[in-house]
Amino acid sequence: MRTAPTILHLDMDAFFASAEQAAKPSLRGKAVIVGGLGPRGVVATCSYEARVFGVHSAMPMAQARRLAPNAAYLVPRFGFYREISEQVMGLLRELSPLVEPLSLDEAFVDLEAGEAAWDEASARLAGAKLRADIRAVTGLTGSVGLAASKMLAKIASEQAKPDGLVVIDPGTERELLAPMSVRTLPGVGPATGDHLRRAGITTVGEIAEAGEDEVVRLLGKAHGIALYAMALAHDERPVVAERDTKSVSVEDTYDVDIHDRVRVRMEVQRLADRCVRRLRGAHLSGRTIVLKVRRYDFSTLTRSETLRGPTDDAAVVREAAARLLESVDTTGGVRLLGVGVSGLADYTQEDLFAQVRAQAEARAHAGEPELSAQDKAQEPADEQEAPAVRRWAAGHDVRHAEFGHGWVQGSGIGRVTVRFETPDSEPGRVRTFRIDDPELEPADPLPLVSRRP
């Protein structure tokens, strides 16, 4: 353990929702919920105003609508969030070469490695400057935790939310951890938490009091030893700058269960193609093909097949995924399908026999009919050559030839409602157009902070 709080954990505050509020003046100070808006959508992020009503991340969207019926419900704009994330990560890399991103809005930083801090005072100064820089560059806020270990830095950033900075001084860790729930520790999920609770252990302090032998007896050697060490505030995990990609996968959740076996096969083929495009985009190949099926009763099955060598051939992946599907019973209906590739490599050593099988499979299916119009409508817009109907996603940017830049407030029954405003304007006016209005076009997001010369 270090003797100074020089590991920093940054967590942007309600990132997706805060970015939407910053982009849309009319939503500032109001409940905003970002996620999938279909019947089976889930909440990706919600603003602090929405959390007052009990809404939280990963909640089913239908439940969120019951709790906060008057909130603004928006479809995520991941490209927009990624651009902001790149700005934030750039600021972190100015502090240190050792930056470990955990997601678009969260990362660890080793301040000592970049000589940005060496004691409590310099670490606090670096954290305060980072928060100010993030606000200046993105217009958003982030919470910062500083401690002598990754576990404690993350705990500190949670205590700092929203828009704060907390430093845990070395030597005070065990006193701080003792009254906290066992779920605070990394690796303690609902199942482990319930197992410990049944043994009479509900706080971190009680884990420390139980002793290593008892924790190992309850949880097994590897998990028990690691958990007991963390309860004593021992966490030697280093900040790792690069994380290797372990797999590439895609999946779709369907608003209505798919019962038609032919349709299921078609969806698996489409997902395999999408997965290969993503694989090639990352200049990777892989040996193990994985199929994921979530059935009507929420049971989830995974099947995998390992090839003789890594591949990025779409026909090979399609053929393997189709074989895996044959071992899965989908009679009752399917609500989610996914195809992935693991065992990644940055080269391709094709399995000749797999290619031959795939080519034979392709010839055997050459006479299959094309997707129906209904099936094509299920495909993402970027995979269709000429979508028959223009779709306007709630929250996405548009531009009108007369009224300028705005965002989609809602659409339906052949109409789309747009609020015309920009990040640095006053709340704008709302107008409604036909969905096929030739003067209305999709637009790129505007910067949240005006560019300075």
Side-chain angles (χ1 to χ4, degrees):
M1 287 279 289
R2 303 185 181 199
T3 58
T6 53
I7 292 182
L8 180 149
H9 181 260
L10 170 72
D11 196 354
M12 299 295 289
D13 298 321
F15 182 45
F16 297 172
S18 294
E20 298 295 352
Q21 288 177 317
K24 302 171 172 65
S26 59
L27 297 185
R28 292 169 191 169
K30 298 181 180 179
V32 174
I33 299 172
V34 180
L37 303 189
R40 290 176 175 167
V42 297
V43 176
T45 311
C46 60
S47 67
Y48 287 97
E49 294 85 354
R51 297 180 191 190
V52 172
F53 298 99
V55 181
H56 57 77
S57 298
M59 172 182 284
M61 192 62 76
Q63 183 181 355
R65 288 186 183 277
R66 290 193 294 271
L67 294 173
N70 297 319
Y73 289 85
L74 307 177
V75 175
R77 299 186 291 164
F78 290 110
F80 175 51
Y81 309 144
R82 193 170 290 110
E83 289 181 6
I84 301 172
S85 175
E86 289 172 357
Q87 292 177 306
V88 173
M89 296 301 165
L91 293 173
L92 297 182
R93 292 186 181 97
E94 291 178 7
L95 287 173
S96 172
L98 288 185
V99 176
E100 182 178 341
L102 304 179
S103 62
L104 289 177
D105 61 339
E106 185 181 2
F108 288 110
V109 183
D110 187 334
L111 296 177
E112 278 188 21
E115 299 182 351
W118 50 91
D119 59 12
E120 190 271 340
S122 58
R124 187 182 293 273
L125 185 64
K129 182 179 184 302
L130 173 64
R131 292 178 57 239
D133 289 345
I134 289 173
R135 186 186 289 273
V137 170
T138 69
L140 304 179
T141 63
S143 296
V144 168
L146 291 158
S149 70
K150 290 168 70 172
M151 177 185 73
L152 291 161
K154 185 172 176 62
I155 290 172
S157 70
E158 284 295 321
Q159 293 181 335
K161 283 190 166 295
D163 190 20
L165 183 150
V166 167
V167 179
I168 297 178
D169 293 322
T172 66
E173 298 96 343
R174 288 192 62 178
E175 181 182 355
L176 174 76
L177 287 173
M180 292 184 176
S181 166
V182 294
R183 293 289 302 277
T184 303
L185 299 179
V188 180
T192 301
D194 287 345
H195 191 55
L196 290 171
R197 179 180 54 78
R198 288 193 293 271
I201 299 174
T202 58
T203 68
V204 177
E206 288 169 346
I207 292 178
E209 292 173 2
E212 184 178 69
D213 290 344
E214 176 64 11
V215 179
V216 167
R217 185 186 69 81
L218 291 170
L219 303 178
K221 186 174 182 180
H223 196 187
I225 290 175
L227 198 62
Y228 179 71
M230 288 186 176
L232 299 179
H234 297 160
D235 179 17
E236 301 294 342
R237 294 174 300 162
V239 176
V240 180
E242 296 294 336
R243 290 186 162 205
D244 293 334
T245 302
K246 295 182 179 179
S247 65
V248 173
S249 63
V250 296
E251 63 182 43
D252 277 346
T253 300
Y254 304 99
D255 291 343
V256 178
D257 289 349
I258 302 175
H259 293 83
D260 184 354
R261 183 72 176 186
V262 173
R263 171 75 187 284
V264 172
R265 283 199 295 266
M266 288 180 174
E267 288 294 318
V268 168
Q269 299 296 291
R270 184 174 64 82
L271 289 167
D273 288 342
R274 282 175 55 195
C275 182
V276 169
R277 285 200 297 273
R278 184 172 294 183
L279 193 70
R280 289 178 173 175
H283 305 291
L284 296 170
S285 59
R287 293 186 63 218
T288 301
I289 314 303
V290 181
L291 175 71
K292 177 179 177 182
V293 180
R294 181 166 297 149
R295 299 188 292 189
Y296 69 98
D297 58 357
F298 288 90
S299 61
T300 302
L301 304 176
T302 59
R303 299 287 186 269
S304 64
E305 175 182 316
T306 299
L307 307 175
R308 298 185 183 184
T311 184
D312 64 354
D313 187 290
V316 173
V317 175
R318 282 197 302 268
E319 191 263 350
R323 278 199 308 277
L324 294 170
L325 179 63
E326 294 306 313
S327 67
V328 178
D329 179 12
T330 61
T331 306
V334 171
R335 60 187 292 119
L336 177 147
L337 289 168
V339 174
V341 178
S342 61
L344 300 182
D346 58 1
Y347 65 94
T348 302
Q349 182 181 337
E350 296 294 0
D351 184 339
L352 178 61
F353 295 101
Q355 284 186 323
V356 171
R357 288 196 306 268
Q359 290 165 2
E361 184 80 8
R363 287 194 297 271
H365 289 84
E368 285 188 355
E370 294 187 15
L371 290 176
S372 66
Q374 180 181 1
D375 289 337
K376 288 182 178 178
Q378 294 287 340
E379 293 192 342
D382 62 356
E383 296 184 13
Q384 303 177 41
E385 293 182 2
V389 179
R390 300 173 81 184
R391 288 181 170 83
W392 303 99
H396 284 223
D397 294 85
V398 294
R399 176 167 291 279
H400 191 273
E402 179 181 352
F403 301 107
H405 192 92
W407 58 278
V408 176
Q409 196 158 350
S411 64
I413 320 179
R415 296 286 186 270
V416 55
T417 300
V418 178
R419 186 181 288 274
F420 290 97
E421 59 186 8
T422 63
D424 54 0
S425 74
E426 296 296 320
R429 297 186 62 181
V430 174
R431 296 182 182 274
T432 300
F433 308 91
R434 298 192 321 273
I435 59 172
D436 59 353
D437 189 318
E439 296 190 318
L440 188 66
E441 296 291 341
D444 292 328
L446 297 177
L448 297 182
V449 176
S450 299
R451 305 295 187 192
R452 295 180 177 84

